[in-house]
Amino acid sequence: MPYEPVIGLEIHAQLLTETKIFCGCSTAFGAPPNSHVCPVCLGLPGALPVLNQRAVEHAVRTALALDCTVHEASIFARKNYFYPDLPKGYQISQYEEPLATDGCVEYLDDGVLRRVRIMRVHMEEDAGKSVHDGFPDSGRKTYLDFNRSGVPLVEIVTQPDLRSPSEASRFFQRLRGTLLAAGVNDGNMEEGSLRCDANVSVRPRGTAALGIKVEIKNLNSFRFVERALDYEVRRQSAVLENGGTVLQETRLWDVAGGRTVSMRSKEEAHDYRYFPDPDLPPLVLAPDWIAGVQTALPELPEARKRRFMADHGLPERDAALLADDHELAGFFEETAAAAKNPRSAANWIMGPLAHRKKSDTSRVGREPVTPAALGALIRLVDSGTISNSAARDVFERMAATGESPDAIVEAEGLSQIGDADELQVVVRQTLAQNPAAVTKYRAGKTGTLGFLVGRVMRATDGQANPRLVNELLKSALEASEGE
Ligand code: ADP
Ligand code: ZN
Ligand code: MG
């Protein structure tokens, strides 16, 4: 394609707090409409906002996790506009002096080192929700639910450093993993706790000047980010191809139609008449306190991924998949330790375990297979006690019943014959019954070994440990050669 996409994301993440950003109302999702409201979040006259310290702490964590400089003083401003779900007529946000700026996310993406700069991270309150359907008179009326009004958000703004729709989508996944690991957001995109506005322009390949950008609002899945951007890149390229100019505007992703549609012409910052909120003093943070939050940051997915690659020899894709899912990563580490075999632990977790979780959603989060039990199962395979295929059956039964692998192997008689003396007898019999194969082997046609292994396996109903059978046969064939 002669045009290169240029993409920057603005991500809204709900901060994990019990209460709203400027009042004591609950932030719990799914409550009856307008049951978590008070004069402050309804914007009633005279009600005064009081800043939630927990929200500040999570916002600072977010900023530090993204390598930003956190400012010792930041200002809350009023962003003025009319919308029915915004009862005050303005949103409290940070504008000229945001909480943090100049961050950076560096990550390996399929072997390529990428760097996305973060412009700013600021705090703001969420608006309420307009409900356009689900009521008998929804055709004529819009209902308003203010439970979300005043829920604490951080807005994370990247520089236009992303160069393709799939890169943007993968960066967004990385960011989600980081927010989850930092413990600031629940990553739930269906409930709206994490949403993305994508800004995109195109320019002739090889040129440096940025094209005119379009903003696609409120994308709430990785797939939509990629698909909406794909569509928009093609649309804008066609406009330029035909000698036209791209209109600077805000567009929406039409899920059913698989296209973006124009929503409004781009508003400018000055349209909002931002000014410092006179009800809120500047947010002043002590450097020591910021340093304390920094120290308390847990290991983040990129570091964890690289550790999985370096210490456990996992390929990048596997390491990334595990590291981006905070819970799965912990599960993997415990299993790897119990199994003393990280590669195998990763394979079991990304294969059978993930598969099971996907097909049985009722079980998510209360999987009866513990890391210790899965580790024990892997050890049974590694010690040759059971075969790989028997292990799959044992796993299914562990997942269904929560029994230990040892108990299942015992009850089902799945254990391989791993006892050398017992096998030695079968090996001798097999050699005696197949003199032709023995002669051929000794004449240098060692390919007959496979045939003999097969015979022993058959004689033991497949319960012999194939590795041991191999060893015993070889030494028997070679030892008697000189006799
Ligand atoms: P605005 O003034 O329109 O708010 P900003 O400079 O604040 O624009 O950037 C908003 C978002 O748009 C950022 O994520 C930024 O990376 C992105 N962006 C800015 N310019 C462009 C462009 N020409 N093409 C693509 N994305 C852009
Ligand atoms: Zn309230
Ligand atoms: Mg801006």
Side-chain angles (χ1 to χ4, degrees):
M1 205 204 321
Y3 294 100
E4 176 184 54
V6 172
I7 299 163
L9 303 181
E10 295 169 285
I11 288 149
H12 288 91
Q14 177 176 342
L15 296 168
L16 280 171
T17 57
E18 304 271 311
T19 55
K20 294 184 180 180
I21 185 168
F22 297 121
C23 63
C25 293
S26 165
T27 56
F29 182 84
N34 299 309
S35 58
H36 293 164
V37 291
C38 74
V40 173
C41 54
L42 286 175
L44 301 186
L48 278 176
V50 177
L51 182 58
N52 179 340
Q53 178 169 354
R54 192 100 188 120
V56 175
E57 188 182 329
H58 281 338
V60 169
R61 259 169 176 261
T62 307
L64 293 173
L66 302 174
D67 241 346
C68 290
T69 304
V70 174
H71 301 299
E72 284 168 35
S74 59
I75 306 274
F76 285 99
R78 292 186 178 179
K79 180 183 185 179
N80 299 282
Y81 64 98
F82 171 79
Y83 206 74
D85 64 16
L86 188 75
K88 295 195 294 292
Y90 60 87
Q91 177 194 28
I92 304 178
S93 181
Q94 295 191 302
Y95 176 59
E96 273 176 337
E97 297 185 48
L99 182 75
T101 54
D102 302 304
C104 166
V105 179
E106 236 180 17
Y107 61 108
L108 268 181
D109 182 20
D110 248 343
V112 181
L113 186 67
R114 302 211 190 268
R115 213 180 124 80
V116 175
R117 292 166 299 155
I118 305 294
M119 263 186 208
R120 54 190 275 142
V121 172
H122 72 244
M123 301 179 72
E124 60 185 36
E125 59 178 345
D126 206 351
K129 193 175 163 195
S130 301
V131 185
H132 301 290
D133 42 38
F135 293 94
D137 52 359
S138 279
R140 290 182 298 116
K141 290 181 178 168
T142 290
Y143 286 75
L144 291 163
D145 177 3
F146 291 106
N147 283 350
R148 278 201 79 88
S149 169
V151 159
L153 305 178
V154 270
E155 180 173 333
I156 301 163
V157 185
T158 78
Q159 294 281 358
D161 287 346
L162 296 152
R163 290 292 172 271
S164 77
S166 63
E167 201 185 312
S169 157
R170 285 202 301 278
F171 168 79
F172 187 24
Q173 290 177 46
R174 207 85 256 262
L175 192 71
R176 177 177 180 274
T178 305
L179 299 176
L180 252 59
V184 297
N185 177 260
D186 68 10
N188 194 326
M189 296 166 73
E190 271 134 53
E191 290 176 4
S193 326
L194 187 63
R195 353 188 253 267
C196 175
D197 303 337
N199 299 272
V200 52
S201 61
V202 299
R203 63 184 173 194
R205 255 178 218 290
T207 63
L210 294 177
I212 294 167
K213 77 167 159 37
V214 157
E215 178 176 3
I216 316 166
K217 276 279 175 204
N218 265 328
L219 297 163
N220 66 351
S221 86
F222 302 126
R223 204 162 50 91
F224 292 163
V225 168
E226 187 163 347
R227 289 186 58 200
L229 284 170
D230 263 331
Y231 177 88
E232 196 54 29
V233 168
R234 268 186 279 119
R235 187 187 70 83
Q236 292 181 21
S237 301
V239 169
L240 295 187
E241 196 87 37
N242 294 324
T245 33
V246 173
L247 218 59
Q248 175 152 345
E249 61 182 351
T250 302
R251 298 176 73 90
L252 284 179
W253 173 240
D254 165 13
V255 177
R259 61 197 177 118
T260 64
V261 290
S262 181
M263 180 188 175
R264 56 174 188 239
S265 69
K266 167 73 184 170
E267 66 292 344
E268 301 287 341
H270 61 247
D271 294 336
Y272 289 117
R273 296 293 191 274
Y274 281 99
F275 67 92
D277 191 314
D279 287 341
L280 289 158
L283 171 59
V284 177
L285 303 172
D288 283 358
W289 184 82
I290 298 172
V293 177
Q294 172 91 61
T295 314
L297 269 187
E299 185 182 33
L300 299 173
E302 186 59 19
R304 204 170 198 183
K305 179 184 86 178
R306 293 192 195 191
R307 188 162 57 76
F308 288 173
M309 291 166 69
D311 294 1
H312 299 320
L314 298 191
E316 190 202 320
R317 242 164 224 273
D318 297 2
L321 222 107
L322 292 169
D324 272 337
D325 185 327
H326 189 57
E327 271 178 31
L328 209 60
F331 193 99
F332 162 70
E333 294 203 78
E334 285 179 50
T335 307
K340 300 187 174 61
N341 183 343
R343 283 299 284 267
S344 190
N347 289 338
W348 276 95
I349 289 168
M350 290 181 306
L353 194 79
H355 185 74
R356 225 192 132 76
K357 281 199 173 179
K358 230 178 257 163
S359 61
D360 186 358
T361 47
S362 67
R363 260 210 176 72
V364 168
R366 42 192 198 88
E367 185 65 48
V369 179
T370 61
L374 184 54
L377 177 65
I378 293 168
R379 282 206 313 276
L380 286 175
V381 176
D382 287 348
S383 67
T385 308
I386 56 173
S387 68
N388 263 315
S389 65
R392 290 298 296 260
D393 297 338
V394 175
F395 175 82
E396 289 306 323
R397 184 152 156 186
M398 285 163 68
T401 67
E403 286 171 278
S404 82
D406 293 288
I408 297 167
V409 167
E410 178 73 36
E412 303 277 304
L414 291 170
S415 122
Q416 299 182 116
I417 302 172
D419 178 58
D421 291 340
E422 203 178 323
L423 268 185
Q424 196 64 269
V425 178
V426 187
V427 164
R428 279 207 208 94
Q429 282 169 357
T430 305
L431 292 183
Q433 287 159 5
N434 297 281
V438 173
T439 315
K440 271 193 191 159
Y441 183 94
R442 290 187 178 146
K445 296 203 168 144
T446 51
T448 55
L449 182 67
F451 165 79
L452 292 167
V453 171
R455 292 277 134 169
V456 176
M457 293 308 290
R458 190 182 296 180
T460 58
D461 286 330
Q463 296 211 323
N465 175 346
R467 210 173 47 218
L468 190 56
V469 171
N470 254 287
E471 280 168 25
L472 293 176
L473 271 173
K474 261 194 197 156
S475 64
L477 285 163
E478 271 145 37
S480 39
E481 260 174 316
E483 279 171 15

